[in-house]
Amino acid sequence: MIPWRRPPRRGATSPAESGQATVELALALPAVLLALLAIVQAGLVVADHVRTVHLAREAARVVAVDGRAGAAPAAVAAAGGEDCTAAVSRPAEAGATLVVRVSCPSRTDVPLIGVLVPDVEVLGRASMRVER
């Protein structure tokens, strides 16, 4: 009697190719991981930019009504931008347009990416009509 043998599976590999997928994964995984961390860091910088634009709008609202010299930095600090700087271009006459520029540091703290990419400065700008 002939011993029964199982037919080979579709796509079966020879013993020499059995670890090929593992080697390919080991070679590709660091590059994929680095790309994912770079995407996360880019998302954090975009979030910092949105926050900076929000700080500029808050400062523009305050400066449009209150024309004191320290109103913009105080508004930025009150809105959560303690480490940010604000610059105001405010005309004296009511009805003109003022411009507030806010600059905040965006730290690159994501592992591996933070070492490769230096910290960036995020800028936000807002303009508003002077009320008083």
Side-chain angles (χ1 to χ4, degrees):
M1 179 170 212
I2 301 174
W4 181 79
R5 290 182 66 186
R6 192 178 248 166
R9 295 179 304 172
R10 279 178 66 138
T13 60
S14 68
E17 297 176 349
S18 63
Q20 179 182 356
T22 304
V23 171
E24 288 175 356
L25 178 66
L27 291 174
L29 192 60
V32 171
L33 182 63
L34 195 63
L36 286 175
L37 289 173
I39 290 171
V40 168
Q41 182 62 60
L44 292 173
V45 169
V46 168
D48 285 343
H49 179 263
V50 170
R51 182 179 73 96
T52 303
V53 170
H54 171 71
L55 292 173
R57 286 182 185 154
E58 288 293 321
R61 282 189 198 109
V62 170
V63 173
V65 177
D66 184 6
R68 290 181 294 137
V76 168
E82 292 83 14
D83 54 348
C84 301
T85 59
V88 180
S89 170
R90 185 181 194 278
E93 64 273 359
T97 303
L98 67 91
V99 177
V100 175
R101 289 178 180 83
V102 176
S103 173
C104 296
S106 178
R107 291 174 177 71
T108 54
D109 294 338
V110 174
L112 297 177
I113 299 299
V115 176
L116 299 174
V117 179
D119 293 349
V120 295
E121 197 72 20
V122 182
L123 305 173
R125 179 182 175 277
S127 58
M128 191 166 285
R129 189 172 68 90
V130 176
E131 297 294 324
R132 302 183 211 176

